[in-house]
Amino acid sequence: MAKQEHLDILSQGVDVWNSWRRENAQVRPDLSGAGLSQAKLRHADLHGADLNGTDFREADLRQANLREANLSKANLGDANLMWADFRKANLTQADLSGVSLREASLSEADLREADLRRADLQETDLNKADLRGADLRHAYLYEADLRHADLRGAHLVEAYLHGASLIGANLGEADLTGANLNEANLSGANLSKAELGMAVLVGTNLHGATLVGCSIHGVSVWRVDLGEAEQRDLVVSGFGEPTVTVDNLEVAQFIYLLLNNQKIRDVIDTITSKAVLILGRFTEERKAVLDAVREELRRRDYLPIQFDFDKPSSRNLTETVSTLAHISRFIIADITDAKSIPQELQRIVPDLPSLPVQPLILSSQYEYAMFKDFKDYPWVLPPYRYQSTEDLLASLQERVINPALAKAKEIEERRRAFEEEMGK
């Protein structure tokens, strides 16, 4: 129970209280169990005080010094604690629901099983805080500092953690269902067995994080940094569904759509059976030819994909064309007035023996010098020499599409025969 003497001094106002504290530095105030709801305690020096079970509901504790105070089981519901100093304070099982702790310091504070529902923790310092089992549902943690905080088993359902720093934080078995982690820094954080269902991770830094055994059903992932992150046994399926796990957070969304959306499967089947990658020079004159080929392919129920290589080449562009090649049925490559296309064919041809390449060239021109090297690859067909755009379109099915499809079929049959032979 609180000492009446200490309560009497506090009742005389913050100035009198703080003066008494300075004169009696060796005394540890005992305000445990006191009823201080709606009390005006702004700037009050309560450091080291015994506030166990004290009722601070709707109290004004802005900029109060609560460093190393014992607030275990205290009720701080709807109190204003902006800029308050709670460093190393004991707040175990404290009721902090709905409080404003904006820019307060809670570094190394003990907040085990504390109730922080709907709390305003914007820019709050929670560095190395112990938040094991704390209830942070719907808490506002915008740009909060949670570096190396222990959040094992914490409840962060629909918590707002946009821009928060969680470097090295321990979020093992934490419930982050529906949490907003946009632009948050979780580098080196431990998310083992965390619940990330419906969470939003856009621009989130997960570099070096541990993502093992997490439930990620419905997670939204865009532009995340997963460099050196440990990703394993991520559960894509929802509750009550057969368990499906993947080992890559970014792939998870695609896998789930693939398993649960017939339209997505139809799209993939369409792409792999009808996509045709068109390569060539994108000058005004050459682009007119490529556009005409694209329109003719579209008319014939193919899915033409054009990629402009007339732009400055880079590693990313090379990787992009390789990706597009992997999902194509065959390639039409106009090597007339070749410029960037030799580099792209060099990336595609040697690595994709199951992908037919049908070259085209204007009959008045010669193949570029290095093209002869590709003639050693069986999946590169002889160039079709055309007189004009009209001539090319008129013979497109017979001289371009049919040879490419025949080569694709030949490759598939050869591969099937090889697999059957190996299976004997």
Side-chain angles (χ1 to χ4, degrees):
M1 290 292 292
K3 287 188 176 181
Q4 190 60 46
E5 174 192 354
H6 297 169
L7 287 171
D8 291 342
I9 297 169
L10 186 62
S11 67
Q12 296 175 54
V14 170
D15 290 340
V16 173
W17 172 265
N18 287 349
S19 177
W20 175 77
R21 290 296 315 265
R22 285 192 294 271
E23 294 169 3
N24 298 272
Q26 76 284 358
V27 177
R28 185 191 183 198
D30 186 353
L31 298 169
S32 58
L36 296 171
S37 60
Q38 299 183 335
K40 307 301 181 184
L41 297 167
R42 189 171 183 176
H43 297 288
D45 184 358
L46 293 161
H47 83 272
D50 186 354
L51 303 165
N52 181 28
T54 302
D55 184 358
F56 284 109
R57 282 176 296 175
E58 299 181 33
D60 184 355
L61 284 153
R62 283 175 292 173
Q63 294 176 280
N65 183 355
L66 291 140
R67 189 170 183 177
E68 299 184 29
N70 179 15
L71 287 134
S72 178
K73 298 183 181 180
N75 189 340
L76 291 135
D78 296 310
N80 191 336
L81 300 162
M82 290 177 65
W83 308 295
D85 187 351
F86 284 94
R87 282 175 289 176
K88 297 185 178 180
N90 182 356
L91 288 147
T92 55
Q93 298 183 335
D95 185 351
L96 292 150
S97 56
V99 301
S100 175
L101 279 158
R102 184 175 295 194
E103 297 183 57
S105 178
L106 286 136
S107 61
E108 299 185 66
D110 189 345
L111 288 148
R112 284 174 296 167
E113 299 182 24
D115 186 351
L116 286 151
R117 287 174 298 167
R118 299 174 289 100
D120 182 355
L121 295 156
Q122 180 174 332
E123 298 183 57
T124 300
D125 181 4
L126 287 153
N127 183 25
K128 297 182 181 178
D130 189 344
L131 287 149
R132 283 176 289 172
D135 192 343
L136 288 146
R137 285 176 289 175
H138 302 281
Y140 188 73
L141 288 143
Y142 178 75
E143 294 189 352
D145 184 356
L146 287 145
R147 288 174 297 163
H148 305 291
D150 192 343
L151 289 142
R152 282 176 290 174
H155 303 281
L156 289 144
V157 176
E158 295 187 25
Y160 190 83
L161 287 147
H162 187 126
S165 178
L166 289 141
I167 298 170
N170 191 339
L171 289 145
E173 300 186 32
D175 189 348
L176 287 148
T177 303
N180 184 327
L181 289 155
N182 291 352
E183 308 293 340
N185 190 344
L186 287 131
S187 58
N190 176 21
L191 289 143
S192 297
K193 297 184 179 179
E195 173 60 69
L196 290 165
M198 309 301 291
V200 181
L201 291 87
V202 179
T204 307
N205 185 353
L206 288 158
H207 191 94
T210 300
L211 293 149
V212 177
C214 302
S215 178
I216 55 173
H217 180 75
V219 70
S220 179
V221 182
W222 300 91
R223 292 188 297 105
V224 294
D225 180 355
L226 287 160
E228 299 183 25
E230 182 182 358
Q231 302 180 77
R232 183 161 37 86
D233 300 329
L234 305 176
V235 182
V236 178
S237 45
F239 180 77
E241 297 177 349
T243 302
V244 178
T245 62
V246 296
D247 291 338
N248 186 289
L249 189 60
E250 292 174 306
V251 172
Q253 294 175 106
F254 175 74
I255 295 297
Y256 183 78
L257 287 172
L258 184 62
L259 292 172
N260 294 275
N261 193 314
Q262 180 61 47
K263 290 183 179 179
I264 294 294
R265 295 198 293 275
D266 291 344
V267 166
I268 291 170
D269 290 341
T270 299
I271 289 173
T272 55
S273 64
K274 295 191 175 183
V276 180
L277 179 60
I278 304 171
L279 308 180
R281 185 83 185 274
F282 277 72
T283 59
E284 185 176 348
E285 181 183 0
R286 303 313 316 153
K287 188 175 186 298
V289 175
L290 299 176
D291 286 344
V293 171
R294 180 186 61 186
E295 291 304 317
E296 186 65 18
L297 284 167
R298 186 178 292 138
R299 193 178 70 81
R300 295 172 185 269
D301 200 28
Y302 286 94
L303 180 66
I305 303 172
Q306 269 189 196
F307 197 82
D308 187 347
F309 299 118
D310 208 42
K311 298 175 183 177
S313 188
S314 70
R315 179 174 178 272
N316 288 339
L317 289 178
T318 304
E319 289 180 351
T320 300
V321 71
S322 179
T323 299
L324 294 173
H326 274 83
I327 64 170
S328 299
R329 180 69 167 164
F330 60 90
I331 291 176
I332 295 176
D334 190 350
I335 60 174
T336 305
D337 194 19
K339 186 178 179 181
S340 300
I341 195 170
Q343 176 186 343
E344 311 313 326
L345 289 177
Q346 185 59 48
R347 176 64 184 261
I348 295 169
V349 172
D351 295 336
L352 296 173
S354 62
L355 181 65
V357 177
Q358 175 62 71
L360 311 174
I361 188 167
L362 196 60
S363 58
S364 60
Q365 291 204 10
Y366 296 99
E367 301 161 8
Y368 63 89
M370 301 302 293
F371 183 77
K372 65 179 186 299
D373 295 340
F374 294 125
K375 294 181 179 180
D376 294 332
Y377 296 97
W379 50 94
V380 177
L381 296 158
Y384 170 58
R385 308 186 75 86
Y386 61 95
Q387 300 288 336
S388 63
T389 303
E390 293 75 17
D391 172 47
L392 174 60
L393 296 181
S395 57
L396 190 70
Q397 183 70 51
E398 180 184 356
R399 304 298 298 275
V400 177
I401 297 174
N402 287 349
L405 290 176
K407 178 59 70 173
K409 185 177 180 180
E410 175 192 324
I411 293 169
E412 288 172 0
E413 289 176 351
R414 191 187 309 120
R415 182 174 57 198
R416 191 178 302 114
F418 176 77
E419 290 173 352
E420 289 175 358
E421 182 66 27
M422 293 296 293
K424 291 181 180 179

